[in-house]
Amino acid sequence: MLSPENRPITDLGTLKALAHPLRMQLYRGLCVARTATASQLAEQVDEAVSLVSYHLRKLAEHGLVEEAEPQSADGRERWWQPASDRVSIRDENFRDAPERAAAHLAATRLFHRQRADMYRRYLDERPTWGPEWNSAAPDNESLLRLTPAELAELGEELLALAKKYDEKGRAAEAAGDTEGRENVALHVYGFPFRV
């Protein structure tokens, strides 16, 4: 059963396992679907089922995904799910050695590149979403004056707010309220800068 907890990634092996472009796509796909087979995920990422199965097993070796209860009568199908609601990867867990810091930076760049690609795809497809979705989709920038503690507090509050809306949407969907409901990505970055 899916753990409601955050899973901090602190070891280099797990970080490297997740910081593979296809594995991150598969992990993200499982987070959206909650459960899926290798065949379903292979169709999403346009890769061979055998390759997807291999990468799912690699993610499972590091405790990032796990087998799920079968969702169909076909006992040959292996179902997968994320092992936790979310993972967190913090800089402070990887700055103790140059190799660890470099791996963390490479992983972070990959995650941000994939997020930017998702947003670019939305922009390219914007006309197909219609005015209601395009008006609802926030696109803003806030330039604040904060301390590190205030930025951390803001991040935790934003995460809690996003979790509240995720739980609300999933509960409504489970109750049959599926009309107009779509997957939504919310990417929030907060970082210091100097002008």
Short mmCIF file of all heavy atoms in Angstrom, two decimals, residues 4-32:
data_model
loop_
_atom_site.label_atom_id
_atom_site.label_comp_id
_atom_site.label_asym_id
_atom_site.label_seq_id
_atom_site.Cartn_x
_atom_site.Cartn_y
_atom_site.Cartn_z
N PRO A 4 1.95 7.28 2.90
CA PRO A 4 1.64 8.69 2.77
C PRO A 4 2.85 9.59 3.03
O PRO A 4 2.77 10.80 2.93
CB PRO A 4 0.56 8.91 3.83
CG PRO A 4 0.85 7.90 4.88
CD PRO A 4 1.43 6.71 4.14
N GLU A 5 3.96 8.99 3.36
CA GLU A 5 5.12 9.76 3.79
C GLU A 5 5.99 10.22 2.63
O GLU A 5 6.00 9.64 1.56
CB GLU A 5 5.97 8.90 4.74
CG GLU A 5 5.24 8.46 5.98
CD GLU A 5 4.78 9.60 6.86
OE1 GLU A 5 5.53 10.55 7.07
OE2 GLU A 5 3.62 9.54 7.30
N ASN A 6 6.76 11.26 2.93
CA ASN A 6 7.81 11.72 2.05
C ASN A 6 9.00 10.78 2.22
O ASN A 6 9.29 10.34 3.32
CB ASN A 6 8.18 13.15 2.46
CG ASN A 6 9.45 13.62 1.80
OD1 ASN A 6 9.64 13.45 0.60
ND2 ASN A 6 10.34 14.21 2.57
N ARG A 7 9.67 10.47 1.14
CA ARG A 7 10.87 9.63 1.21
C ARG A 7 12.07 10.48 0.88
O ARG A 7 12.28 10.82 -0.29
CB ARG A 7 10.78 8.46 0.25
CG ARG A 7 12.14 7.77 0.10
CD ARG A 7 12.03 6.30 0.11
NE ARG A 7 13.29 5.61 0.21
CZ ARG A 7 14.24 5.57 -0.71
NH1 ARG A 7 14.17 6.25 -1.81
NH2 ARG A 7 15.32 4.83 -0.51
N PRO A 8 12.87 10.85 1.88
CA PRO A 8 14.09 11.59 1.57
C PRO A 8 15.12 10.68 0.90
O PRO A 8 15.33 9.55 1.33
CB PRO A 8 14.61 12.05 2.93
CG PRO A 8 13.62 11.61 3.94
CD PRO A 8 12.68 10.65 3.30
N ILE A 9 15.72 11.17 -0.15
CA ILE A 9 16.80 10.44 -0.82
C ILE A 9 18.10 11.03 -0.32
O ILE A 9 18.36 12.22 -0.50
CB ILE A 9 16.68 10.54 -2.34
CG1 ILE A 9 15.42 9.83 -2.80
CG2 ILE A 9 17.92 9.95 -3.02
CD1 ILE A 9 15.15 9.93 -4.28
N THR A 10 18.90 10.20 0.33
CA THR A 10 20.15 10.69 0.91
C THR A 10 21.37 9.92 0.40
O THR A 10 22.49 10.35 0.64
CB THR A 10 20.11 10.58 2.45
OG1 THR A 10 19.87 9.22 2.81
CG2 THR A 10 19.00 11.46 3.04
N ASP A 11 21.14 8.78 -0.27
CA ASP A 11 22.30 8.00 -0.73
C ASP A 11 22.49 8.18 -2.24
O ASP A 11 21.55 8.39 -2.99
CB ASP A 11 22.14 6.53 -0.37
CG ASP A 11 21.01 5.88 -1.13
OD1 ASP A 11 19.84 6.15 -0.78
OD2 ASP A 11 21.28 5.13 -2.08
N LEU A 12 23.73 8.10 -2.64
CA LEU A 12 24.12 8.34 -4.02
C LEU A 12 23.52 7.31 -4.98
O LEU A 12 23.09 7.66 -6.08
CB LEU A 12 25.66 8.32 -4.12
CG LEU A 12 26.27 8.90 -5.38
CD1 LEU A 12 25.80 10.31 -5.63
CD2 LEU A 12 27.80 8.87 -5.26
N GLY A 13 23.45 6.06 -4.58
CA GLY A 13 22.89 5.02 -5.45
C GLY A 13 21.45 5.28 -5.82
O GLY A 13 21.05 5.15 -6.98
N THR A 14 20.64 5.67 -4.84
CA THR A 14 19.23 5.95 -5.10
C THR A 14 19.09 7.20 -5.95
O THR A 14 18.26 7.25 -6.87
CB THR A 14 18.45 6.09 -3.77
OG1 THR A 14 18.62 4.90 -3.01
CG2 THR A 14 16.98 6.34 -4.01
N LEU A 15 19.90 8.21 -5.66
CA LEU A 15 19.86 9.43 -6.47
C LEU A 15 20.17 9.12 -7.92
O LEU A 15 19.47 9.55 -8.84
CB LEU A 15 20.86 10.46 -5.93
CG LEU A 15 20.96 11.76 -6.74
CD1 LEU A 15 19.67 12.56 -6.67
CD2 LEU A 15 22.14 12.59 -6.25
N LYS A 16 21.23 8.33 -8.15
CA LYS A 16 21.60 7.97 -9.53
C LYS A 16 20.53 7.12 -10.19
O LYS A 16 20.30 7.22 -11.40
CB LYS A 16 22.95 7.26 -9.54
CG LYS A 16 24.12 8.21 -9.28
CD LYS A 16 25.45 7.47 -9.33
CE LYS A 16 26.62 8.42 -9.17
NZ LYS A 16 27.92 7.72 -9.23
N ALA A 17 19.87 6.26 -9.42
CA ALA A 17 18.81 5.43 -9.99
C ALA A 17 17.66 6.29 -10.51
O ALA A 17 17.11 6.04 -11.58
CB ALA A 17 18.30 4.43 -8.95
N LEU A 18 17.30 7.31 -9.75
CA LEU A 18 16.19 8.18 -10.15
C LEU A 18 16.61 9.19 -11.21
O LEU A 18 15.80 9.58 -12.04
CB LEU A 18 15.64 8.91 -8.92
CG LEU A 18 14.37 9.73 -9.14
CD1 LEU A 18 13.22 8.84 -9.62
CD2 LEU A 18 13.98 10.43 -7.85
N ALA A 19 17.87 9.58 -11.20
CA ALA A 19 18.35 10.63 -12.11
C ALA A 19 18.71 10.08 -13.48
O ALA A 19 19.67 10.51 -14.11
CB ALA A 19 19.54 11.34 -11.48
N HIS A 20 17.94 9.15 -13.95
CA HIS A 20 18.07 8.61 -15.30
C HIS A 20 16.84 9.14 -16.05
O HIS A 20 15.73 9.03 -15.54
CB HIS A 20 18.07 7.08 -15.22
CG HIS A 20 18.17 6.40 -16.54
ND1 HIS A 20 17.10 6.30 -17.40
CD2 HIS A 20 19.22 5.80 -17.16
CE1 HIS A 20 17.48 5.65 -18.48
NE2 HIS A 20 18.77 5.34 -18.35
N PRO A 21 17.01 9.71 -17.23
CA PRO A 21 15.86 10.35 -17.90
C PRO A 21 14.63 9.46 -18.03
O PRO A 21 13.52 9.89 -17.71
CB PRO A 21 16.43 10.73 -19.27
CG PRO A 21 17.89 10.86 -19.06
CD PRO A 21 18.24 9.86 -18.00
N LEU A 22 14.80 8.21 -18.46
CA LEU A 22 13.64 7.34 -18.62
C LEU A 22 13.06 6.93 -17.27
O LEU A 22 11.85 6.90 -17.09
CB LEU A 22 14.01 6.09 -19.44
CG LEU A 22 12.87 5.10 -19.68
CD1 LEU A 22 11.66 5.76 -20.34
CD2 LEU A 22 13.37 3.92 -20.52
N ARG A 23 13.92 6.65 -16.30
CA ARG A 23 13.41 6.25 -14.98
C ARG A 23 12.61 7.38 -14.35
O ARG A 23 11.58 7.14 -13.71
CB ARG A 23 14.55 5.83 -14.06
CG ARG A 23 15.14 4.51 -14.45
CD ARG A 23 16.23 4.07 -13.51
NE ARG A 23 17.02 3.04 -14.16
CZ ARG A 23 18.31 2.86 -13.95
NH1 ARG A 23 18.97 3.60 -13.07
NH2 ARG A 23 18.96 1.91 -14.59
N MET A 24 13.06 8.63 -14.52
CA MET A 24 12.31 9.75 -13.95
C MET A 24 10.96 9.89 -14.64
O MET A 24 9.95 10.17 -14.00
CB MET A 24 13.13 11.04 -14.08
CG MET A 24 12.52 12.21 -13.34
SD MET A 24 12.35 11.90 -11.56
CE MET A 24 10.85 12.77 -11.23
N GLN A 25 10.91 9.65 -15.96
CA GLN A 25 9.63 9.69 -16.67
C GLN A 25 8.70 8.60 -16.15
O GLN A 25 7.51 8.84 -15.95
CB GLN A 25 9.85 9.46 -18.17
CG GLN A 25 10.31 10.66 -18.94
CD GLN A 25 10.37 10.32 -20.42
OE1 GLN A 25 11.29 9.62 -20.86
NE2 GLN A 25 9.40 10.77 -21.17
N LEU A 26 9.25 7.40 -15.93
CA LEU A 26 8.44 6.29 -15.43
C LEU A 26 7.93 6.59 -14.02
O LEU A 26 6.77 6.33 -13.69
CB LEU A 26 9.23 4.99 -15.46
CG LEU A 26 9.66 4.51 -16.85
CD1 LEU A 26 10.61 3.32 -16.72
CD2 LEU A 26 8.44 4.16 -17.69
N TYR A 27 8.82 7.12 -13.19
CA TYR A 27 8.43 7.45 -11.81
C TYR A 27 7.32 8.51 -11.82
O TYR A 27 6.32 8.38 -11.13
CB TYR A 27 9.65 7.94 -11.02
CG TYR A 27 9.31 8.26 -9.59
CD1 TYR A 27 9.15 7.24 -8.66
CD2 TYR A 27 9.09 9.57 -9.19
CE1 TYR A 27 8.81 7.52 -7.35
CE2 TYR A 27 8.76 9.86 -7.88
CZ TYR A 27 8.61 8.83 -6.96
OH TYR A 27 8.26 9.11 -5.67
N ARG A 28 7.50 9.54 -12.64
CA ARG A 28 6.49 10.60 -12.73
C ARG A 28 5.17 10.01 -13.25
O ARG A 28 4.09 10.34 -12.74
CB ARG A 28 6.98 11.71 -13.66
CG ARG A 28 6.10 12.93 -13.66
CD ARG A 28 6.64 14.04 -14.55
NE ARG A 28 7.71 14.75 -13.87
CZ ARG A 28 8.98 14.80 -14.31
NH1 ARG A 28 9.34 14.20 -15.42
NH2 ARG A 28 9.89 15.47 -13.62
N GLY A 29 5.25 9.12 -14.25
CA GLY A 29 4.04 8.48 -14.77
C GLY A 29 3.31 7.67 -13.72
O GLY A 29 2.09 7.69 -13.65
N LEU A 30 4.07 6.97 -12.88
CA LEU A 30 3.44 6.20 -11.79
C LEU A 30 2.82 7.11 -10.75
O LEU A 30 1.77 6.80 -10.19
CB LEU A 30 4.46 5.28 -11.12
CG LEU A 30 4.64 3.91 -11.74
CD1 LEU A 30 5.72 3.13 -10.99
CD2 LEU A 30 3.35 3.13 -11.75
N CYS A 31 3.47 8.23 -10.47
CA CYS A 31 2.90 9.18 -9.50
C CYS A 31 1.56 9.73 -9.98
O CYS A 31 0.65 9.93 -9.19
CB CYS A 31 3.88 10.32 -9.22
SG CYS A 31 5.30 9.81 -8.24
N VAL A 32 1.44 9.93 -11.28
CA VAL A 32 0.18 10.43 -11.85
C VAL A 32 -0.87 9.33 -11.85
O VAL A 32 -1.99 9.52 -11.40
CB VAL A 32 0.41 10.98 -13.28
CG1 VAL A 32 -0.92 11.27 -13.97
CG2 VAL A 32 1.28 12.23 -13.24
#
